[in-house]
Each structure stands twice: as structure tokens, then as C-alpha cells.
Amino acid sequence: MNTTNQILTVSIIGSGNVATALGEVISSNGIRVLEVFSPNIDNSKLLAEKVGCNYVENLEKLNTISDLYIIAIPDNEISNVITKLKSKEGIMVHTSGSQPSDVFEGKFHHYGVFYPLQTFTKGKQVDFQEVPICIEGSNDITSELLVQLAKKISNNVVLLNSEKRQYLHLTAVTVNNFSNLLYNLAHDVLNEKDIDFSLLHPLIKETAVKIRDVNPYQAQTGPALRKEISTINKHLELLDKYSEYKEIYNLLTRQIINKHHG
Amino acid sequence: MNTTNQILTVSIIGSGNVATALGEVISSNGIRVLEVFSPNIDNSKLLAEKVGCNYVENLEKLNTISDLYIIAIPDNEISNVITKLKSKEGIMVHTSGSQPSDVFEGKFHHYGVFYPLQTFTKGKQVDFQEVPICIEGSNDITSELLVQLAKKISNNVVLLNSEKRQYLHLTAVTVNNFSNLLYNLAHDVLNEKDIDFSLLHPLIKETAVKIRDVNPYQAQTGPALRKEISTINKHLELLDKYSEYKEIYNLLTRQIINKHHG
């Protein structure tokens, strides 16, 4: 750790959506990314180029001087990578919502979690100022250093323990991954019927921003809420050809009815 | 119909979310709402006060001079109300996504559909300029008059036949009502775990606006897309207590996997 008690230099392990988004925002906020490692050399090179650093081709060649090592890789590869890492003085974090912080225990002195609660896709810029960054540290000093760093890139930094973070991650999957699947189903049907999907854009956006002002129970509208069985049956008929979509329509409609009339 | 070949006066049948939103935006754009009818007298009075008109207590007392009669009531009550209506010279429309335009056939000369594709909740203002208004008319002149009116309140007016409109309505239910149910599930769990639901706001919003730039198939992220079975199993464990939520998690996860790896 450097003597200024700040995180000034970072190594990034990973080159996917999260690694890329974090690498870019960190380096554009005055923290130096020293190196990138990823088994995918092409992605690794791309990210290294974007942030102006080297890429290393082998985990064992990672430096030992960075203040922070960010592991931003798929959840199920984290423990495997940790096993292969040499011990470091700097802080070791992962960016996972679902992995506890103690995956680092026993191997590193300072470790924690740096979980940006957002959906990232390469090529789609995200305004980090709004993104909640959920921090957990192995001790107070580590937490403090990670919070300091997080505050350089976001106005929405929270300390959160591993148990709460896993519930938050579960709900993030629900509101993001599952809503996106719903958009995808709608897109497929409209496309086939030659109807412009963009007609739904304002509705999709209003649905999302409405629950800032109205709690989602009260925000519920639609035929299931009003128990309009004939409209529901008509929709199910339209979906006869789309069995997977129909199964989802059936289940979610039933649950709205249960929730509001059960 | 007046001699100016414009819709200048309107009667509103209904006093719910859609009737209220439409009544307000129409009257604030220079069209005169002459009267409101609704079986719910309290709501009827409220809306009449907002738009500065009378409310009538009986369907039979509706005037015969309005250029347009807007029926904004639950889908399954529309045909019943039409049966009770006396014949009118003005245009008769409903605002339903799912009902065909021919529910008016044989009884009225000029009729159609005026379907604002948005979710409305009383007390939550909506910017109408962006709201797609889907128009169908019983003949060209009727369509034209309805389009003219719609263009006074929105920049996004489209002609759409009944068949296409019912598919659009089906997908609107999917992206709005079902996403909102997902938000509700997330809200319930976070509330119980004493985690602030507003942490999800930026993610929910980004999910919604992202699909303006990235098609929803490509926008998909998450453990199901990456087939991270251990994370998925952990989530299912967290949901052991929440059987309805678990059923939804299971189905939507399976379908994301099928869609991307099937």
C-alpha cells in the first residue's frame, strides 16, 4: 500500500462488461490502471488500449505493486482465479453481487467487495454518478479506502454486508434480467407482426421511472389487476403459437391476481 | 359534427386513470370537455372539477352535441355501455388496446379507437408528447379527425388496425404489468431484509432506456445468460420462503437459458 493512504493504482482481472466499464470510469477519474489480465487476449488488449496500460498474458505475471486488484469475472470462476493468484500487499476485491467477501479469507491481508449495481453492455455508456456502489471491506481501513475510491466515481456509495448484498443481487437479477427477457418476448412478437417495437419505448420508460414516485404495489395496472378474464383469455389465444411466452403470461397473470385479490 | 371539420368538444365516459389523464390533457390543449359520466359519482365529480365541466349521473342524459365521445372504462364493460347508449351524431371511440373497433358497428355512424399506449396512475403526471396514440377510424374522415385531435396532444400518432393493436396491447401488458410485478416482488423482499428499494432505481431505469440503443436479445446479461448454475441455485435457496417469487425465478431463468443456449 502506498503511503498516501489512497488507492492510486489498480490492476484489473477480467475484460468483460463490468471490467471494461469500471476500467474506463476509474482511469478517467485520475486513478491509474497499471495492467489488465484476462484469458481472452483480444478483449484484454482492447481494454488495455482504452485505459492506456499493459495487458499481461499470465495471472502469475501480475505485478505486486498495485494498491488495488479488481477481479471482475463470472461468479463461478472467482474462486478458481483466487487459488491461482500469488499473494499481494494491495487490496483484493471482486465485483460480484452474489459471492461473499470471505472467498479471499486466509490468502490475502486486505480484501473486500466493490459491487456496482448496474447493467453494463460494451459500447453502451453508463452515467456512473448515479450507480450505487456497494462496498464491503475485511477491516475498517480497507472499507474506508474502497469507499474513498468509490466516491470518486459515484454519488451513491453504500456499505453493505455479504448477506444483504446477495438479496440485493437476487432482486437486481429480477428487475433487470427478467424485465429484459419480457422486453425480448415483446420484441419477437411485434417483429413477426411487423409492428414497430419502439412504440413500446415510452411505456417501458414510464414503467421504470414511475416506481420512484409510486410504490410498485400501487403502480400495478392492467387486465390481471382488474381481473378482466375475457381480455386475458384473448391474450392467451394470441399466444397459442408462442408456448414459452404463453407460460410466462399465464404465471405472471395468475400471480398479479393472487397478489391483489388473493 | 360541427362545421369546422375539427373535434372541438368532447364527452368523457369513465373517470378512472385513463379517463382522467386524457380528460386533463385534452382540456389543457384547447378542446372543450363538455361533460363526464361515470357510475362512480365521486370520481366523476373530481374529474369534472379538474376539467371544468358538468358530470351527468345517468348515461341516458349524455348530450347529443359533442363532436367526440370517449369511452375510457374497463374492457369488459365496454359492450354493456354501448348497448345502453343512445345514438349520437358525433364520433364514438373507446381507448382500449384489446377491443376491436367493430364493437360500435351497426349502432353509430362514425366510430373508432383512440388508444394511448401508456400506463396511467392518478396523481402521477405523464408527458403526453411522447405517448404513442394509436388511432383507428370507421372511415377516412373519422380517422383523419381523430388523428388531428391526437396530434394536438402527442408527437407520436399512428394509424393501427384492430389486429395489430391487440398484439401491441398484449406486449404492453407484458412490458408494463409484468415488469411492475417483478419490481413488486423485489420491493417486498428488500423491505423485509431492511434494504432500501431505491438502490435498484438506477438499474431499473437503465434496463428500460438501454433497449432504445441495444436490441433486447443483445442487452441480456446475468447468471442465466452465463449459465452460472451455482449462483442460480443460491438465489433459489434464498427464495425458499417466497414460493411464488421462486416459481417466477425458476421459469424466467429457464427461459433465458433456453433462448440463449437452447
Side-chain angles (χ1 to χ4, degrees):
Chain A
M1 186 69 48
N2 65 72
T3 53
T4 57
N5 262 337
Q6 275 190 64
I7 293 166
L8 297 173
T9 55
V10 175
S11 297
I12 295 177
I13 297 156
S15 60
N17 296 338
V18 176
T20 301
L22 269 183
E24 289 183 311
V25 73
I26 281 178
S27 74
S28 72
N29 277 279
I31 294 103
R32 229 177 121 200
V33 178
L34 296 181
E35 59 186 357
V36 172
F37 163 79
S38 161
N40 184 325
I41 305 283
D42 288 343
N43 283 351
S44 196
K45 275 186 194 172
L46 267 176
L47 176 53
E49 214 166 280
K50 278 181 184 162
V51 301
C53 74
N54 296 322
Y55 65 96
V56 295
E57 297 203 23
N58 192 314
L59 260 187
E60 296 182 357
K61 290 188 181 156
L62 276 179
N63 75 30
T64 53
I65 58 162
S66 285
D67 297 331
L68 177 67
Y69 298 80
I70 298 177
I71 303 179
I73 61 178
D75 287 359
N76 55 6
E77 295 170 20
I78 291 176
S79 58
N80 188 28
V81 160
I82 290 175
T83 311
K84 290 182 187 158
L85 279 173
K86 290 190 181 155
S87 186
K88 312 279 180 195
E89 269 310 298
I91 300 171
M92 192 66 60
V93 296
H94 65 63
T95 59
S96 164
S98 70
Q99 295 296 303
S101 62
D102 61 18
V103 290
F104 295 112
E105 212 172 67
K107 176 143 188 180
F108 299 98
H109 298 301
H110 310 290
Y111 58 83
V113 178
F114 196 93
Y115 171 48
L117 180 54
Q118 189 48 283
T119 175
F120 299 103
T121 305
K122 284 177 187 171
K124 171 77 180 71
Q125 288 284 341
V126 159
D127 176 12
F128 253 91
Q129 288 301 315
E130 271 214 341
V131 176
I133 300 186
C134 306
I135 299 293
E136 187 176 10
S138 52
N139 53 49
D140 288 351
I141 293 174
T142 306
S143 298
E144 181 52 35
L145 286 168
L146 292 172
V147 166
Q148 267 178 32
L149 172 66
K151 284 186 172 170
K152 287 185 184 169
I153 60 179
S154 167
N155 293 323
N156 199 350
V157 179
V158 284
L159 283 171
L160 211 68
N161 67 30
S162 290
E163 201 219 336
K164 286 194 173 183
R165 194 179 59 255
Q166 68 180 350
Y167 279 101
L168 190 60
H169 180 248
L170 162 71
T171 58
V173 163
T174 303
V175 300
N176 168 259
N177 302 165
F178 295 166
S179 289
N180 189 73
L181 172 65
L182 298 176
Y183 303 162
N184 201 164
L185 296 173
H187 185 272
D188 289 352
V189 167
L190 292 183
N191 224 22
E192 203 181 305
K193 299 291 167 189
D194 200 25
I195 303 165
D196 191 350
F197 177 70
S198 73
L199 283 171
L200 291 178
H201 285 167
L203 174 63
I204 288 173
K205 186 177 167 195
E206 174 68 12
T207 304
V209 297
K210 184 177 178 177
I211 44 96
R212 292 182 183 233
D213 300 325
V214 186
N215 122 3
Y217 185 84
Q218 286 153 348
Q220 191 67 59
T221 57
L225 177 77
R226 296 188 299 270
K227 265 187 153 176
E228 290 173 359
I229 304 301
S230 65
T231 303
I232 292 167
N233 285 338
K234 204 187 248 178
H235 283 167
L236 289 171
E237 234 175 79
L238 295 178
L239 289 174
D240 264 341
K241 264 183 58 191
Y242 308 89
S243 61
E244 298 214 322
Y245 193 161
K246 190 172 185 175
E247 200 178 349
I248 288 179
Y249 188 99
N250 245 322
L251 177 61
L252 299 189
T253 293
R254 187 155 42 84
Q255 294 214 8
I256 293 173
I257 294 176
N258 285 348
K259 221 170 175 57
H260 291 265
H261 303 276
Chain B
M1 186 68 47
N2 67 71
T3 54
T4 58
N5 262 338
Q6 276 190 63
I7 293 168
L8 297 174
T9 54
V10 175
S11 297
I12 296 178
I13 296 156
S15 60
N17 296 336
V18 175
T20 302
L22 269 183
E24 290 184 311
V25 73
I26 281 178
S27 74
S28 70
N29 277 278
I31 294 103
R32 228 177 122 200
V33 178
L34 298 181
E35 59 187 356
V36 172
F37 163 78
S38 161
N40 184 324
I41 304 282
D42 288 343
N43 283 350
S44 196
K45 276 186 193 172
L46 266 175
L47 176 52
E49 213 166 282
K50 278 181 184 162
V51 300
C53 74
N54 297 322
Y55 64 95
V56 296
E57 299 202 26
N58 193 314
L59 260 186
E60 294 182 359
K61 291 189 180 155
L62 276 178
N63 75 31
T64 54
I65 59 163
S66 287
D67 297 332
L68 176 68
Y69 297 80
I70 299 177
I71 303 179
I73 60 178
D75 287 359
N76 53 7
E77 296 169 21
I78 292 176
S79 58
N80 188 28
V81 161
I82 291 175
T83 311
K84 292 182 186 159
L85 279 173
K86 290 188 181 157
S87 185
K88 313 278 179 194
E89 268 310 295
I91 300 171
M92 192 66 61
V93 296
H94 65 64
T95 58
S96 163
S98 70
Q99 295 296 302
S101 63
D102 60 18
V103 288
F104 295 111
E105 211 171 69
K107 176 143 188 181
F108 300 98
H109 298 302
H110 309 291
Y111 57 83
V113 178
F114 196 92
Y115 171 48
L117 180 53
Q118 188 49 283
T119 174
F120 300 102
T121 305
K122 284 178 186 170
K124 171 78 180 71
Q125 288 284 341
V126 159
D127 176 12
F128 253 92
Q129 288 301 315
E130 271 214 340
V131 176
I133 299 185
C134 305
I135 299 292
E136 186 174 10
S138 52
N139 54 48
D140 288 350
I141 292 175
T142 306
S143 297
E144 181 52 36
L145 285 168
L146 292 172
V147 165
Q148 267 178 33
L149 172 66
K151 284 186 171 170
K152 288 185 182 169
I153 60 178
S154 167
N155 293 323
N156 198 351
V157 179
V158 285
L159 283 171
L160 210 68
N161 67 29
S162 290
E163 199 219 339
K164 287 194 174 186
R165 194 179 59 255
Q166 67 181 350
Y167 279 101
L168 190 59
H169 180 248
L170 162 72
T171 58
V173 163
T174 303
V175 300
N176 167 260
N177 303 166
F178 295 166
S179 290
N180 189 74
L181 171 66
L182 298 176
Y183 304 162
N184 201 164
L185 296 173
H187 185 272
D188 288 351
V189 167
L190 292 183
N191 224 23
E192 203 181 306
K193 299 292 168 189
D194 200 25
I195 304 165
D196 191 351
F197 177 69
S198 73
L199 283 171
L200 290 178
H201 285 167
L203 174 63
I204 288 173
K205 186 177 168 197
E206 174 68 13
T207 305
V209 297
K210 185 176 177 176
I211 44 96
R212 291 181 184 234
D213 302 323
V214 186
N215 122 0
Y217 185 84
Q218 286 153 349
Q220 191 66 60
T221 56
L225 177 77
R226 296 188 299 269
K227 265 188 156 176
E228 291 173 358
I229 305 301
S230 64
T231 302
I232 292 166
N233 286 337
K234 206 187 248 179
H235 283 167
L236 290 171
E237 235 174 78
L238 295 179
L239 290 174
D240 265 341
K241 264 181 58 191
Y242 308 90
S243 60
E244 298 214 322
Y245 193 160
K246 190 172 184 173
E247 200 178 348
I248 288 178
Y249 188 99
N250 243 323
L251 177 61
L252 299 189
T253 294
R254 185 154 44 83
Q255 294 213 9
I256 293 172
I257 294 176
N258 285 349
K259 222 172 175 56
H260 291 266
H261 303 277

